[in-house]
Amino acid sequence: MTSSSRNHQLIFGALGFLVLYLIGRFIARQLEIRAFKRKHGCLPPPREPQPEHIIGLAAWNRLRRERRDRITLQETTRRAKELGYTSSLVMAGNRFTVTCDPVNLKAMLATNFNDFGLGPRDGPLGPVLNGGIFISDGEAWQHSRALIRPAFTRTQVADLSSLHEHIEALLSRIPKDDGVTVDLKPLFYNMTLDSATEFLLGHSVHSQNSLPGSPARNFLDAFNYAEEILQKRSELGRFCWLLRDKKFDEACVTIKAFTDGFIQEVLRGENKMTRYNLLGEIAGACRDSTKIRSEILGVLLAARDSNASVLSSAFYEMARNKSIWNKLMAEVESVSGRELDYETLKDMKYLKAVLNETLRLFPPLARNVRYALKDTVLPRGGGPDKQAPVFVAKGTPIFYCVYSLHRLPEFWGPDADVFRPERWLDDKVKPGWAYLPFNGGPRLCLGQQNALIEASYTIVRLLQEFKRIEPRDNQPWTEHLAMGMSNEHGCKVAFWRCK
């Protein structure tokens, strides 16, 4: 036998051994899964209709089509009502679990919190966030949360002094003549960016009245563009490297350079800020400029988008519901003469109901995902009656849709799709885990109260300035999914000033 033949035999032998090893591992894994399912009484959930369940190319094309037509959330909700609140599908060769069942969400986000993590977010979001609270798990997440938590104490949330300037800048952009059309959406996004940067950096970027080409406008444009691309990268997951975009790369450089300027001033002790801000708080406990930037930009992304989205959707609905506007106007007039402070805003029950209903129908973070960190179960959704536990293998992504959850008639009644703030005035309404606009469990949003107070203050100030509002387009509310959710058509209205 020649040496060449012996080499071939060795190669084939090694390949044969490898094949046998892989087959053995596969069989052992299947036996392990079977035993786990039997132990926990798991049954499979409904499968979404697909022509094949191996590659899932049709599901991928469907997702792209729904994204293009801006009906992703609408279709997700329809499937949940038809198939069940928990289902499975195969897409791009991966098996996914999809749920909007509050029992399962409570398990993922709270009771079995340690079984689930954020998964591979660093790749898609790393170019901007590069670590930080919104892409970290475990000890890194705990450290980030500890750094940020002091910024959201009641004392800081109750300080509304800085909002006055930003509200005045907003009002300056609304036409002085009655009945003139204005799109509030970009104005709200500018206002919340200005407010958030002052709170986070100690200096507002004043984007509301910034000029084209100015550092503030360059930062605003870069931030807006980067956010759109980050969402696309998130949808691609580990394949995000396929999305090459020079403009996105340039936007990331602009964002980091702008933020780093403030960070370096603070680290060198050159910036003597008189107002409390998160940058100063973090810099007192951490001297790593990259870490500081990651935390600042993560909070900025969440704070700016959430508040602007809520305000845009609230005024979209108020413009189309005269009775709601009038009821809210009556409540605003009832506090006339009182200082517009934290306590006054908290006492306004109808205002709170309007905000709760806006967050229910239009949650800024409409969908999210967790990954199983080990073999685990979701408590409900399997079997013919959809009540059995569902097995979730280690590494499986579980997509959950808050938008769908908030529109399920089982929890919200037959008018679940109707904007009706009065439902929140009923003391019997206690939705629990069927209402998650700010997430839940250990990852409950730290800025929840800050967001509600800022939105409340803004709404009241606008109703103090304007006696009447009308819609100025006949477009239905249409989803626009970036990192958050907003209305694709904006919020085009006309105001009439109080005389």
Side-chain angles (χ1 to χ4, degrees):
M1 182 181 296
T2 65
S3 59
S4 176
S5 298
R6 285 196 298 272
N7 288 339
H8 287 154
Q9 286 182 343
L10 289 172
I11 291 172
F12 286 125
L15 288 174
F17 178 80
L18 177 60
V19 170
L20 289 174
Y21 172 75
L22 293 175
I23 292 174
R25 280 194 61 182
F26 175 79
I27 293 173
R29 175 61 176 154
Q30 295 308 305
L31 292 173
E32 180 183 20
I33 290 173
R34 181 181 297 180
F36 188 95
K37 289 180 178 179
R38 188 182 302 115
K39 177 182 178 181
H40 295 279
C42 296
L43 292 173
R47 294 200 302 185
E48 295 192 8
Q50 296 181 251
E52 49 83 19
H53 293 270
I54 299 175
I55 298 177
L57 181 60
W60 174 255
N61 289 334
R62 184 196 71 199
L63 177 67
R64 293 179 60 193
R65 184 173 61 254
E66 291 174 358
R67 170 83 179 185
R68 180 199 65 206
D69 296 341
R70 303 192 182 281
I71 57 172
T72 302
L73 300 174
Q74 174 185 322
E75 287 299 293
T76 301
T77 304
R78 179 188 62 78
R79 286 190 289 270
K81 292 177 179 178
E82 292 178 358
L83 288 173
Y85 300 162
T86 302
S87 60
S88 68
L89 77 155
V90 174
M91 186 168 62
N94 296 308
R95 183 169 297 278
F96 297 83
T97 299
V98 182
T99 190
C100 62
D101 189 326
V103 172
N104 291 340
L105 294 177
K106 181 180 179 180
M108 280 199 303
L109 303 177
T111 52
N112 296 336
F113 176 77
N114 292 327
D115 288 1
F116 302 92
L118 298 182
R121 289 190 178 185
D122 193 55
L125 304 182
V128 174
L129 300 183
N130 192 31
I133 191 169
F134 291 103
I135 60 176
S136 299
D137 280 319
E139 291 184 3
W141 165 73
Q142 292 175 4
H143 181 246
S144 293
R145 195 169 176 91
L147 285 175
I148 293 171
R149 186 188 296 275
F152 296 101
T153 62
R154 186 195 180 288
T155 301
Q156 305 308 330
V157 172
D159 182 7
L160 305 178
S161 58
S162 66
L163 284 178
H164 177 75
E165 176 186 1
H166 306 306
I167 294 294
E168 291 303 313
L170 168 69
L171 291 171
S172 74
R173 297 290 306 279
I174 297 176
K176 289 183 170 48
D177 294 333
D178 291 343
V180 179
T181 301
V182 59
D183 187 354
L184 291 177
K185 178 181 172 180
L187 303 188
F188 283 141
Y189 272 81
N190 289 345
M191 186 200 77
T192 54
L193 179 66
D194 292 345
S195 172
T197 48
E198 180 167 1
F199 173 68
L200 297 173
L201 301 173
H203 296 276
S204 172
V205 297
H206 296 296
S207 64
Q208 195 72 270
N209 295 302
S210 62
L211 298 174
S214 66
R217 179 60 63 86
N218 291 340
F219 175 78
L220 172 64
D221 293 342
F223 197 82
N224 287 340
Y225 187 77
E227 188 181 347
E228 295 286 337
I229 303 303
L230 285 177
Q231 176 60 30
K232 295 179 181 179
R233 290 173 61 90
S234 296
E235 292 176 353
L236 288 171
R238 66 175 181 269
F239 299 109
C240 63
W241 55 270
L242 292 171
L243 184 60
R244 303 298 179 92
D245 189 319
K246 184 178 180 181
K247 185 177 178 181
F248 171 70
D249 296 337
E250 293 171 349
C252 292
V253 171
T254 299
I255 292 167
K256 291 178 180 179
F258 186 87
T259 312
D260 285 346
F262 294 102
I263 294 172
Q264 292 305 320
E265 284 185 8
V266 171
L267 292 179
R268 291 193 301 264
E270 298 174 359
N271 195 326
K272 306 299 181 183
M273 292 172 286
T274 57
R275 190 186 299 276
Y276 178 91
N277 61 87
L278 182 59
L279 172 55
E281 182 73 41
I282 296 178
C286 173
R287 309 300 288 180
D288 183 341
S289 61
T290 301
K291 173 69 172 174
I292 295 173
R293 187 213 307 138
S294 300
E295 303 297 356
I296 293 291
L297 289 177
V299 176
L300 176 59
L301 191 67
R304 183 254 187 151
D305 278 26
S306 297
N307 289 1
S309 171
V310 169
L311 287 167
S312 299
S313 295
F315 278 89
Y316 174 90
E317 287 291 344
M318 285 190 284
R320 287 159 174 78
N321 293 275
K322 189 174 181 179
S323 64
I324 294 174
W325 174 270
N326 290 339
K327 288 179 184 179
L328 193 54
M329 179 66 77
E331 186 172 60
V332 170
E333 291 174 348
S334 74
V335 299
S336 178
R338 291 177 58 181
E339 181 182 357
L340 195 56
D341 58 11
Y342 179 86
E343 295 301 332
T344 299
L345 293 170
K346 293 288 282 186
D347 287 343
M348 300 179 69
K349 293 183 179 180
Y350 196 72
L351 172 60
K352 182 179 180 181
V354 169
L355 285 173
N356 283 346
E357 187 71 343
T358 303
L359 286 163
R360 184 184 73 83
L361 280 182
F362 310 107
L365 191 59
R367 55 184 184 163
N368 213 325
V369 64
R370 292 292 186 269
Y371 286 76
L373 300 178
K374 61 181 182 180
D375 288 348
T376 186
V377 299
L378 295 177
R380 191 165 71 179
D385 62 357
K386 302 167 188 172
Q387 296 300 308
V390 174
F391 170 71
V392 182
K394 179 181 179 180
T396 299
I398 305 100
F399 286 93
Y400 62 97
C401 187
V402 176
Y403 179 94
S404 301
L405 170 71
H406 288 180
R407 290 169 180 257
L408 296 177
E410 178 181 345
F411 307 108
W412 300 102
D415 65 347
D417 290 325
V418 177
F419 188 87
R420 186 172 65 84
E422 287 74 16
R423 77 178 75 242
W424 294 95
L425 302 178
D426 184 349
D427 292 336
K428 296 179 181 178
V429 174
K430 299 185 185 300
W433 285 87
Y435 182 64
L436 295 175
F438 295 101
N439 218 330
R443 283 189 179 267
L444 179 70
C445 176
L446 287 170
Q448 174 179 349
Q449 292 304 316
N450 187 72
L452 290 172
I453 289 299
E454 178 171 308
S456 298
Y457 185 88
T458 304
I459 291 173
V460 172
R461 283 292 295 113
L462 263 65
L463 266 75
Q464 289 175 337
E465 294 288 330
F466 303 104
K467 63 181 180 181
R468 179 178 155 201
I469 186 174
E470 285 185 1
R472 280 302 168 89
D473 66 43
N474 57 2
Q475 298 283 357
W477 195 98
T478 304
E479 68 184 48
H480 176 91
L481 297 176
M483 291 303 290
M485 180 184 74
S486 63
N487 183 6
E488 169 67 15
H489 304 299
C491 181
K492 298 178 180 67
V493 301
F495 285 114
W496 279 257
R497 293 183 180 269
C498 297
K499 301 301 183 183

